[in-house]
């Protein structure tokens, strides 16, 4: 249905009031009991206007008596006959005044719906400092998942607006954390590694936003249960399954459409009511127990299905007839209780991306991955928790006719138990195992002219075992939080030799990561925090790709010894300011130059990937608005330096170095119907090498590597949302514009004629021969989203 028609129907049927009271349907359960003389009973539910969610803890304040709703929104209030005025009040909602007239021994059932309070409700995106691990994290919850401009509704994209983070490009979601390559940042979902988090180019994340309860970003100081990455870690945590009612939503945008439905299974019914229904069935000799006449409690299980499909190819045909781009994803989750102390979850997800030319039967790139994760969560005595999980997966990357397939088996055990009787300490330990089975397509590589001696370690058949064990102690005493921990990872690989492809070899690598995090509250407004740790990672591809990992263990592990010191200051209950100074020592880092990939001269791994060591240091500052205000957002500034000590060229700025990064996110909710927001982004340019005078390419590398910088970049994103609330569902129209200023972003400079660069050198250009590789674009996103 066209967007204009949907909007017209929404406007025509929009209600005039944001609150209502109605009598219940005839099928409502009859719970009436004998009402004594001189009394009347008022009962029913308090619900959210525009949805089918109950309001728990709402107070009904009367002139003669009062009541409070339970977790399902139900209430019961006894009043004398006559006219009464009630005030219904709940945190985060507008007060509602109602008048009722009751007769003697009357039993009335009402449903009241409260409208959200814009001024008192929490704002849409909450950026907080997580006390448990004493580091920065981003939290997005409930309906506030999609409010940051330029994110296209994906909570994971918000990380690109936090301190210490820059992006590979403004239109690409992959992040550069503290001057390290994107491949040094890991993605996790509920503790399980995800090979790729976003669809190709401008696509959304591969996980439906409804599944995400919060996103934690660790620039450093990640807990030891998360490892195998030398730089930042981004972890999405899925929300608990709904057990109270069926839920659904759909979204339709210019480039794709998606939807989600969640159905509770195996409801719990009131036991006393069921016993009474069984008695009636026996006495009436009908044999039928009317469960529907009993109040229904939370379900024991839930089934959730979601997916997204892109029709981008059809849209691109209007502007570029030769481009082929398509993607889709799916998620399915089953949750069920296994008694009072255990719960079972099965989560299946998959993603597919393809980019190429319509005239060619072989796509340029193809990414896909599939996961099935089964998990049992067991509550131990004295508040302990044990989690057992088994993940199975298949990852595939296709580069033209070359394929890499990775089969994954990943069992994991995590145990958390309290220590002592005071409740101030908790001990955690676990085993994190992965078995990776790689199957490549070397015949296709040979037909395309790839050099097997250099690329066999990427695409050859091999088996990798990654075994991780970890332990940590979380101790709280007074104003102190201390979290020491240690993680050890052992990697072993059996496969083809990178030198003699017909020979088999065994390689291994081992890393120990001790870490400690400390947080001290020195006043009502001041909090200090520190962390230091070691982070190891296997040799990696510069950007995360499914099925391309765990190669070249003879190179050794990448390592980052990093620490930070900072504080948090709260001003007037409205504003929080945080600052952190960090320092990292990088060893054996796998680095590369984006321009080398753009030049088209890549034939060997060493043309792209080089090993280097270096330093990263800087100052990260953020000022953020606290919840409970109409305005929401933050301002973040990063002053950073990332250097490398190259084998040829000595010490020079890293290819990923950016001195200044500024992000300002600000939104304002005019009412519960309208909200507006904007995001301002600025960063200084990354370095590249310029030949001086009559220097050769090799001489420029040796004497003045990375001596010039790309132009700075400014970007302004805008967002507007209009909400129509109906009695039991809502419709949202969202307009999100990425780079509304139509700014040109230069991604790289590549050589225009001199191809004498040494192997592994990167791009060598002169001022006159620099060919700017960049884009000037403006990307609007218009869509409708319904929630019911």
């Amino acid at each position: 249905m066209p967007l204009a028609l949907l909007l017209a129907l929404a406007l025509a049927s929009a209600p005039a009031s944001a609150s209502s009271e109605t009598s219940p349907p005839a099928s409502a359960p009859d719970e009436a009991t004998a009402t004594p003389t001189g009394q009347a009973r008022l009962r029913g539910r308090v619900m959210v206007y525009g949805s089918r969610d109950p309001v728990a803890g709402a107070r009904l304040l009367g002139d003669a008596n009062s009541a409070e709703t339970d977790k399902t929104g139900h209430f019961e209030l006894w009043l004398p006959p006559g006219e009464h005025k009630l005030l219904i009040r709940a945190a985060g909602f507008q007060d509602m005044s109602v008048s009722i007239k009751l007769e003697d021994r009357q039993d009335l059932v009402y449903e009241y719906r409260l409208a959200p309070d814009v001024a008192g409700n929490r704002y849409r995106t909450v950026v907080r400092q997580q006390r448990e691990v004493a580091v920065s994290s981003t939290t997005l919850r409930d309906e506030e998942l999609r409010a940051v401009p330029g994110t296209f509704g994906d909570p994971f994209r918000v990380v690109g607006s936090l301190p210490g983070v820059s992006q590979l490009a403004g239109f690409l979601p992959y992040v550069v954390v503290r001057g390290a390559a994107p491949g040094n940042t890991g993605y996790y979902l509920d503790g399980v590694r995800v090979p790729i988090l976003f669809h190709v180019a401008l696509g959304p994340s591969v996980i439906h936003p409804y599944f995400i309860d919060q996103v934690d970003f660790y620039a450093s100081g990640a807990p030891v249960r998360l490892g195998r990455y030398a730089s930042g870690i981004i972890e999405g945590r899925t929300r608990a399954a709904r057990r109270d009612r069926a839920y659904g939503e759909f979204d339709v945008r210019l480039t794709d459409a998606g939807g989600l439905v969640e159905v509770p299974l195996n409801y719990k019914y009131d036991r006393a009511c069921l016993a009474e229904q069984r008695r009636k069935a026996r006495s009436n000799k009908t044999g039928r127990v009317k469960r529907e006449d009993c109040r229904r409690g939370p379900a024991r299980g839930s089934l959730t299905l979601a997916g997204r499909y892109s029709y981008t190819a059809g849209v691109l045909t209007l502007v570029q007839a030769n481009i082929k781009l398509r993607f889709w994803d799916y998620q399915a989750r089953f949750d069920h209780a296994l008694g009072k102390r255990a719960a079972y979850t099965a989560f299946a997800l998959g993603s597919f991306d393809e980019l190429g030319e319509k005239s060619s039967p072989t796509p340029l790139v193809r990414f896909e991955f599939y996961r099935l994760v089964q998990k049992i969560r067991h509550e131990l005595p004295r508040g302990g928790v044990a989690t057992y999980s088994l993940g199975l997966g298949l990852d595939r990357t296709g580069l033209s006719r070359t394929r890499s397939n990775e089969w994954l088996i990943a069992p994991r055990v995590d145990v958390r138990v309290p220590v002592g009787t005071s409740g101030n300490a908790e001990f955690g330990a676990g085993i994190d195992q992965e078995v990776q089975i790689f199957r490549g397509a070397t015949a296709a590589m040979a037909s395309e002219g790839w050099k097997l001696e250099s690329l066999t370690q990427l695409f050859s058949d091999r088996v990798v075992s990654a075994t991780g064990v970890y332990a940590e102690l979380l101790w709280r005493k007074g104003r102190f939080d201390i979290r020491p921990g240690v993680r050890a990872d052992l990697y072993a690989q059996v496969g083809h030799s990178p030198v003699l492809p017909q020979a088999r070899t065994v390689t291994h690598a081992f890393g120990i990561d001790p870490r400690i995090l400390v947080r001290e509250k020195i006043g009502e407004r001041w909090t200090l925090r520190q962390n230091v740790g070691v982070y190891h990672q296997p040799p990696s591809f510069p950007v995360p790709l499914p099925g391309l990992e765990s190669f070249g263990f003879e190179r050794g592990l990448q390592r980052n010894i990093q620490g930070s010191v900072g504080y948090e200051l709260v001003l007037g209950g409205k504003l929080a300011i945080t600052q952190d100074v960090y320092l990292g020592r990088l060893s054996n880092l796998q680095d590369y130059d984006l321009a080398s990939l753009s030049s088209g001269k890549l034939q060997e791994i060493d043309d792209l990937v080089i090993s280097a060591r270096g330093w990263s240091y800087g100052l990260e500052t953020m000022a953020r608005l606290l919840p409970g205000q109409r305005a929401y957002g933050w301002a973040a500034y990063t002053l950073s330096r990332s250097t490398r000590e190259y084998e040829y060229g000595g010490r020079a700025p890293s290819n990923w170095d950016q001195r200044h990064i500024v992000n300002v996110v600000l939104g304002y909710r005019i009412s519960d119907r309208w909200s507006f927001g904007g995001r301002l982004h600025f960063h200084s340019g990354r370095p590249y090498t310029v030949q001086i005078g009559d220097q050769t390419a090799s001489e420029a590398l040796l004497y003045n590597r990375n001596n010039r910088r790309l132009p700075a970049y400014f970007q302004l994103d805008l967002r507007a949302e209009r909400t129509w609330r109906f009695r039991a569902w809502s419709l949202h129209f969202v307009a999100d514009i990425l780079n509304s200023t139509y700014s040109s972003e230069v991604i790289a400079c590549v050589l225009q004629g001199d191809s004498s660069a040494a192997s592994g050198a990167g791009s060598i250009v002169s001022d006159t021969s620099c060919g700017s590789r960049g884009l000037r674009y403006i990307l609007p996103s218009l869509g409708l989203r319904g929630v019911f």
Side-chain angles (χ1 to χ4, degrees):
M1 184 181 293
L3 294 179
L5 181 57
L6 285 174
L7 289 175
L9 291 175
L11 287 171
S13 58
S17 173
S19 60
S20 67
E21 55 177 295
T22 59
S23 297
S27 60
D30 183 10
E31 300 175 6
T33 59
T35 305
T37 303
Q39 291 288 319
R41 184 169 71 160
L42 176 68
R43 57 193 175 91
R45 298 185 76 184
V46 178
M47 309 285 287
V48 178
Y49 191 85
S51 83
R52 294 182 295 157
D53 291 334
V55 179
R59 293 179 296 165
L60 287 83
L61 306 175
D63 48 11
N65 207 344
S66 62
E68 184 172 323
T69 60
D70 60 17
K71 61 182 180 180
T72 64
H74 287 90
F75 69 89
E76 182 178 87
L77 183 61
W78 293 88
L79 295 169
E83 293 187 3
H84 297 273
K85 290 185 177 181
L86 298 178
L87 177 66
I88 306 177
R89 175 170 292 172
F93 296 89
Q94 299 177 18
D95 289 348
M96 182 178 181
S97 298
V98 296
S99 297
I100 57 173
K101 186 176 181 179
L102 300 173
E103 298 179 0
D104 188 26
R105 303 186 67 181
Q106 191 174 24
D107 187 8
L108 295 182
V109 182
Y110 277 91
E111 181 182 276
Y112 299 102
R113 289 188 174 268
L114 301 183
D117 183 4
V118 177
N121 203 14
R122 66 165 175 247
Y123 56 68
R124 293 183 175 271
T125 299
V126 182
V127 180
R128 65 178 175 87
Q129 306 304 316
Q130 188 179 15
R131 178 173 172 78
E132 180 187 6
V133 294
V135 294
S136 248
S137 64
T138 302
T139 301
L140 306 107
R141 294 182 179 276
D142 303 328
E143 296 298 315
E144 285 68 37
L145 288 170
R146 304 170 171 84
V148 175
T151 64
F152 296 150
D154 285 306
F156 290 106
R157 287 180 180 260
V158 180
V159 175
S161 298
L162 297 180
V165 179
S166 63
Q167 294 181 209
L168 185 62
F171 57 92
L172 295 176
Y174 295 104
V175 295
V176 177
V177 178
R178 292 183 175 177
N184 294 127
T185 297
Y187 304 107
Y188 280 83
L189 183 66
D190 286 342
V192 178
R193 291 198 309 127
V194 179
I196 190 171
L197 197 58
F198 298 94
H199 287 291
V200 168
L202 304 175
S205 63
V206 299
I207 310 297
H208 197 287
Y210 172 76
F211 278 106
I212 306 302
D213 182 56
Q214 70 181 59
V215 176
D216 293 328
F217 165 62
Y218 305 97
S220 67
V224 292
R225 65 181 178 83
L226 304 176
R228 298 174 180 162
Y229 290 96
S231 186
I233 288 180
I234 301 170
E235 182 183 24
R237 300 188 184 185
T238 58
R239 68 171 67 221
R242 296 192 70 117
R243 304 294 177 90
D244 56 340
R245 68 170 179 85
Y247 174 90
E249 66 175 73
F250 67 87
D251 58 275
V252 180
R253 302 192 297 186
L254 293 177
T255 57
D256 57 82
L260 177 144
V261 61
E262 186 168 40
V263 181
L265 304 172
N266 197 3
Y267 278 107
K268 294 181 180 179
Y269 291 88
D270 182 81
R271 292 185 177 181
C273 179
L274 285 177
E276 179 65 17
Q277 291 297 326
R278 294 189 185 98
R279 187 191 64 78
K280 290 181 179 179
R282 288 194 298 269
S283 62
N284 296 334
K285 298 182 179 181
T286 61
R288 181 176 180 271
V289 178
K290 297 183 178 180
R291 290 174 175 263
E292 62 273 13
D293 291 343
C294 298
R295 175 175 290 186
R296 200 168 57 178
R300 292 184 177 90
S302 178
L303 176 64
T304 308
L305 302 174
R308 182 184 290 108
Y309 179 78
S310 169
Y311 37 82
T312 310
V315 177
L316 285 176
T317 302
L318 302 177
V319 294
Q320 174 56 263
N322 195 36
I323 295 179
K324 179 173 62 177
L325 173 63
R326 63 191 181 107
F327 62 80
W328 50 259
D329 61 66
Y330 70 88
Q331 301 90 43
R333 190 174 73 178
F334 172 74
D335 298 88
H336 205 279
L338 303 177
K340 295 183 178 180
R341 291 183 172 270
Y344 170 79
T345 298
F347 192 11
L349 64 155
S351 171
F352 177 88
D353 293 84
E354 186 177 80
L355 175 64
E357 298 180 355
K358 292 183 179 179
S359 58
S360 174
T362 303
L364 179 62
V365 295
R366 175 183 290 172
F367 305 139
E368 56 183 313
F369 80 89
Y370 308 92
R371 286 288 187 276
L372 173 61
V373 181
Q374 301 183 80
K375 182 182 299 185
I376 294 179
R377 187 178 187 274
H378 181 211
E379 297 182 5
L380 303 176
R382 298 179 58 239
V385 176
T387 304
Y388 315 95
S389 67
L390 173 64
L392 304 175
L394 170 61
D395 302 343
R396 289 176 173 171
T397 285
L399 304 175
S400 188
R401 289 184 296 168
T402 304
R403 301 287 185 268
S404 175
N405 301 320
E406 175 186 355
W407 299 87
L408 179 68
I409 304 173
R412 185 184 182 108
V413 178
D414 183 272
V415 179
R416 306 280 160 169
V417 294
V419 178
T421 58
S422 63
N424 293 330
E426 177 185 277
F427 176 77
I431 301 176
D432 179 9
Q433 174 68 47
E434 286 188 6
V435 177
Q436 304 163 358
I437 304 172
F438 295 88
R439 293 294 180 262
T442 55
M445 293 165 53
S447 65
E448 294 185 3
W450 293 93
K451 295 185 178 181
L452 300 184
E453 293 83 1
S454 60
L455 294 178
T456 184
Q457 54 186 305
L458 275 179
F459 296 98
S460 64
D461 296 350
R462 63 193 190 279
V463 177
V464 175
S465 171
T467 305
V469 294
Y470 57 87
E472 64 179 349
L473 178 67
L474 174 60
W475 181 70
R476 301 182 178 94
K477 184 66 173 179
R479 297 184 175 185
F480 287 86
D481 277 7
I482 303 177
R483 189 169 192 165
V486 63
R487 178 186 180 96
D489 287 281
L490 173 63
Y491 303 90
Q493 174 179 282
V494 179
H496 290 289
S497 168
V499 179
L500 299 174
Q502 302 304 319
R504 298 183 64 83
T505 184
V506 177
T507 58
H508 69 278
F510 180 70
I512 298 180
D513 298 359
R515 306 173 192 173
I516 184 169
L517 305 99
V518 181
R519 183 182 179 103
E520 314 100 64
K521 190 173 181 61
I522 61 175
E524 292 297 324
R525 299 185 301 166
W526 287 89
T527 302
L528 301 181
R529 55 194 186 184
Q530 309 88 37
N531 74 81
V532 64
V534 180
Y535 307 87
H536 282 97
Q537 178 179 355
S540 62
F541 205 67
V543 292
L545 298 176
L548 291 180
E549 61 175 340
S550 300
F551 59 88
F553 287 110
E554 66 279 357
R555 295 171 176 259
L557 298 180
Q558 303 177 84
R559 184 175 64 180
N560 185 3
I561 304 175
Q562 185 173 228
S564 67
V565 178
Y567 71 88
E568 179 180 352
L569 172 63
V570 178
L571 299 176
K574 300 288 185 179
L575 185 69
I577 299 175
T578 60
Q579 278 193 318
D580 292 278
V581 177
Y582 70 90
L583 173 66
R585 176 57 174 170
L586 310 171
S587 303
N588 198 35
L589 206 64
Q590 306 298 305
D591 213 343
Y592 90 119
D593 193 334
L594 186 64
S596 298
L597 188 60
S598 304
S599 64
K601 303 297 183 181
L602 176 62
Q603 284 294 318
E604 299 181 0
I605 290 181
D606 288 339
D607 289 332
L608 181 65
V609 179
I610 55 177
S611 297
R613 60 184 185 275
W615 295 89
S616 66
Y617 50 92
L619 172 66
E620 300 167 350
T621 304
M622 180 168 67
R624 61 184 178 90
L625 295 172
L626 295 178
Q629 307 173 68
R630 284 179 179 260
Y632 66 92
W634 62 89
Y637 170 63
T638 302
L639 175 64
S640 64
R641 183 76 183 273
S642 179
T643 64
R644 298 290 185 269
E645 299 168 14
Y646 297 97
E647 182 178 358
Y648 298 100
R651 185 174 182 180
S654 164
N655 297 321
W656 301 104
D657 180 51
Q658 284 182 318
R659 301 290 177 83
H660 307 281
I661 306 171
V662 179
N663 287 288
V664 179
V665 176
L666 184 62
Y668 189 80
R669 289 173 299 156
I670 298 177
S671 65
D672 64 337
R673 297 183 179 183
W674 284 100
S675 65
F676 297 91
R679 170 184 176 263
L680 182 152
H681 173 80
F682 170 84
H683 66 246
S684 56
R686 296 192 180 99
Y688 66 93
T689 304
V690 169
Q691 297 166 237
I692 300 176
D694 58 354
Q695 280 184 334
T696 64
S698 299
E699 289 173 340
L701 276 179
L702 185 61
Y703 298 111
N704 44 266
R705 180 192 289 263
N706 285 344
N707 58 343
R708 297 291 175 86
R709 289 185 176 270
L710 299 174
Y713 177 65
F714 171 85
Q715 176 179 319
L716 177 63
D717 306 326
L718 299 175
R719 185 182 189 275
E721 180 177 355
R722 172 65 164 97
T723 301
W724 292 271
R725 297 186 185 277
F726 305 90
R727 181 176 175 274
W729 69 288
S730 61
L731 182 66
H732 308 257
F733 172 74
V734 179
D736 204 338
I737 302 177
L738 183 69
N739 193 23
S740 62
T741 53
Y742 196 51
S743 302
S744 176
E745 182 176 14
V746 179
I747 302 174
C749 283
V750 297
L751 186 62
Q752 301 292 297
D754 185 354
S755 59
S756 59
S759 175
S763 175
I764 310 301
V765 298
S766 67
D767 287 339
T768 58
S769 63
C770 173
S772 296
R773 293 291 177 92
L775 291 174
R776 183 184 295 274
Y777 58 89
I778 179 170
L779 301 174
S781 175
L782 304 176
L784 284 175
R785 174 173 174 257
V787 181
F788 55 93

